[in-house]
Every structure is written in C-alpha cells, then in structure tokens.
Amino acid sequence: MTSVSGADAVILVGGKGTRLRPLTLSAPKPMLPTAGVPFLSHVLSRIRAVGITHVVLGTSYRAEVFEEYFGDGSAFGLDIDYVVESEPLDTGGAIRNVVDRLRGDDAVVFNGDILSGADLGALVAAHRKAEADVTLHLQRVADPSRFGSVPTDADGRVTAFLEKTPNPPTDQINAGCYVFRRSVIEEIPAGRPVSVERETFPDLLRRGRHVHGYVDSSYWLDVGTPEAFVRGSADLVTGRAPSSALPGPTGERLVLDDAVIADGAEVTEGSTVGKGASVAAGARVRGSVLFDGAVVAEGAVVERSVLGVGARVGKGAVLRGVVLGDRASVGAECELLDGARVWPDVELADSAIRFSSDV
Ligand code: GTP
C-alpha cells in the first residue's frame, strides 16, 4: 500500500443513524460495537495504516461520546480534532465546517459508516496525478440499480451523477470517500446545510471542474441498515473485511472478556459475543452481534441479529434478522423474524410472534 503525506483525514460522523434505531438511540452509529470495538476504530485503523495521522471528526448528534472514547487520538497513533455542529449541516456543510482545521493541501473525506478495503494511497495518488479538484472512490457493485450511479470517461473523469434507475449505464457507485483539494472545500457555502452528493458534486460538474473517479472493486459495505451492520461485523470477524483494529483472535467467532459460552452452544458465522454476555447450552448464534451483557437462554436460535446491551432472549425463542434494543427481553418460545425491532426495555411475553414490525 502506498503511503500518503500532506493530507488530512476528515470523517463525517454527525448523522442520526435513524435506520439503525433503536441501537442508535444510545450510541451514534460510528460508536456501535462492531467486532468488539466502536465501528469508527476500523475506519481509523485504515487511515493510520496509510500514514495519515491528522484526523478531523465532523460531529453533531451525540458529539461528546466520540471525544470521551478517542480523546486526542494519541493512544491510537493519531492526532484527532473534533468539530461540533450545533445544527446538523449535512455532508457538504460538515466538510466546509472543518476547513479551518485542515493542515495539508488535500483532505481525504470519509463517511463514517463505510467498511472498505480500497487502497487509500492509490486513491490519493490518482487524485494528484490527475490534478483533479475532487476525486471520488467509485465502487463497482453487482447490483447498481439499488444506488445512484457515477459514469466516467476514458480518462477517468466523472461525466454525470445519475439517480437510481432500473438499468444504470455503469456499475460504478459513489462509495462515500473523496479526496478534496482544500481550495474546493472553501468554495462550499458556509453556515447552512449542503449535501455533497446532491449539491456540491453536480454543481462542480456543471461548472466544468475536474471531478475524477478512482474505480475499485475490493471489499465495500455501507453499514447503515441492521442487515448490513450484522454482515459487516461478521465479515470483520471472519476476515472477509480488512481491519487492524480487531481486539482478539477471530475466525468463526469473537468472544470478548468474561463472556460465557456453555458446552453444547453453537456460536458461528462471525458472531461476536460481548463482554459478560452469555449463550446457554443448546443455543445457536449465527452471524450475529451480542452487545455486552446480552443473554441467550437454552435452545434459542439467534441468526443475523443484533442484541443490545443487556438484552435477553428466552428459552427456545427464534430470532432471525432482528434488532433488540438495550435491556429488551424476549420471552421463551417467541418467534421474531424479518426485520422485527424491539425497543429498549420492552418485555415481550412468552410465545409472542412478530414479523417485520416494531415493538
Ligand atoms: P440514517 O439516518 O440512517 O440515514 O443515517 P445517517 O444519519 O448516518 O445518514 P447517512 O447514512 O446518509 O450519512 C452518511 C454519513 O454522513 C454518515 O457517516 C453520517 O454520520 C454523516 N452525516 C450525515 N449527516 C451529517 C451531518 O449533518 N453532519 C455531519 N457531521 N455528518 C453527517
């Protein structure tokens, strides 16, 4: 991997994470435990690995918790600055809002909810070689119809930002990571919400500026939904997603301090069992995330699900594709499937059945 000098990293972490509620009621999305550490640790490890040490976090929702955990960054080999928006400024406004903190001529901007294996050194090198105003990491995906697409010409220049359509002309999508020339950030209007995707980028193209694409097809995942969040966590544990921030031995599962897995319990497919959590005999936990202190009773089945801090799953209950908020409790023999979400502290009686609904 090529190392990068003379660039700052900016990470946007101010979103409310509504699609991940109720987990994001108690912690902002980039702070959710993912393979045993806050999600943001994986992003920071990638930045550190390429030799960038100055990081600016653009915060808004639950701003204080970032600094409480990461401090000045020195424990992570980084120098972290925090900028707080009193009113959320959206992605472009958040980038403009940190410009005074930048020290180099280029800033690498990250959405704080993306897991990626793209070579950041190569991204910055492509930006500098092209002498572009902005360079976007464009990800090639199997099903581009689920996203807006971003075509490029033979020289790699972006030609358009297209809305979602059933038959997009390219499989390249905006991967949520950009290199900005500092002077271009100064051109973004200050003091009001601006969307970088809907306003800044199309405006740069209209004005004939050089917007470049760096196309890549390594690992990439936006963890903004519960399904993607559990998949990303499992991919980190099994090693499909790259990160040097993992807190312990991984493989089929990651088991944190003081967690108890009874004999005869199955914990597989990249599941994480948080500190002090427990899985009783005969239970099956597959591809799931158990936050600290979560409890899975005998014979229960938990697949592709997230159990919040101290959440409890009763004997023989079945959960597939479910989110339990902190301290929520599901009675014995309950069946929860397909996106059902249980709010914090809610107690579901034995044998309740819920599909795709909020409780
Ligand atoms: P949803 O509410 O579930 O859509 O999640 P979100 O609020 O995180 O929005 P989205 O996934 O579209 O945001 C992409 C990235 O930009 C995330 O890393 C957010 O934290 C960040 N972000 C979104 N809006 C703002 C904002 O107003 N200010 C800052 N600083 N960051 C933002």
Side-chain angles (χ1 to χ4, degrees), residues 30-214:
M31 291 303 289
L32 289 177
T34 318
V37 289
F39 181 82
L40 192 59
S41 308
H42 302 294
V43 182
L44 290 170
S45 78
R46 204 171 148 232
I47 291 169
R48 182 74 195 82
V50 81
I52 299 177
T53 51
H54 182 229
V55 179
V56 187
L57 292 190
T59 68
S60 171
Y61 175 65
R62 307 291 313 272
E64 68 292 346
V65 296
F66 294 96
E67 193 162 1
E68 278 164 21
Y69 187 89
F70 292 104
D72 65 2
S74 53
F76 304 85
L78 295 166
D79 174 3
I80 303 181
D81 264 343
Y82 300 85
V83 177
V84 183
E85 297 150 37
S86 43
E87 291 297 321
L89 291 171
D90 206 340
T91 46
I95 299 168
R96 175 65 178 84
N97 194 48
V98 306
V99 77
D100 292 346
R101 306 293 181 95
L102 302 178
R103 300 174 186 167
D105 293 332
D106 299 308
V108 191
V109 178
F110 299 81
N111 279 359
D113 54 359
I114 304 286
L115 262 185
S116 162
D119 181 341
L120 292 176
L123 169 70
V124 175
H127 172 76
R128 290 177 177 168
K129 180 158 182 270
E131 298 181 352
D133 291 305
V134 179
T135 300
L136 284 79
H137 166 200
L138 302 178
Q139 179 71 18
R140 300 188 67 184
V141 293
D143 180 10
S145 64
R146 292 170 45 228
F147 306 87
S149 64
V150 187
T152 43
D153 69 13
D155 298 324
R157 284 178 88 118
V158 170
T159 53
F161 289 92
L162 303 173
E163 299 284 332
K164 217 156 65 165
T165 77
N167 286 307
T170 169
D171 62 358
Q172 300 169 180
I173 64 155
N174 175 354
C177 175
Y178 327 106
V179 190
F180 270 85
R181 217 183 252 271
R182 185 199 160 104
S183 57
V184 175
I185 297 179
E186 279 161 354
E187 294 172 28
I188 299 173
R192 69 162 171 89
V194 177
S195 159
V196 78
E197 301 88 351
R198 288 188 300 280
E199 186 173 337
T200 309
F201 293 149
D203 186 51
L204 284 169
L205 270 196
R206 259 194 304 276
R207 292 192 288 131
R209 304 294 291 273
H210 185 168
V211 181
H212 207 74
Y214 170 80

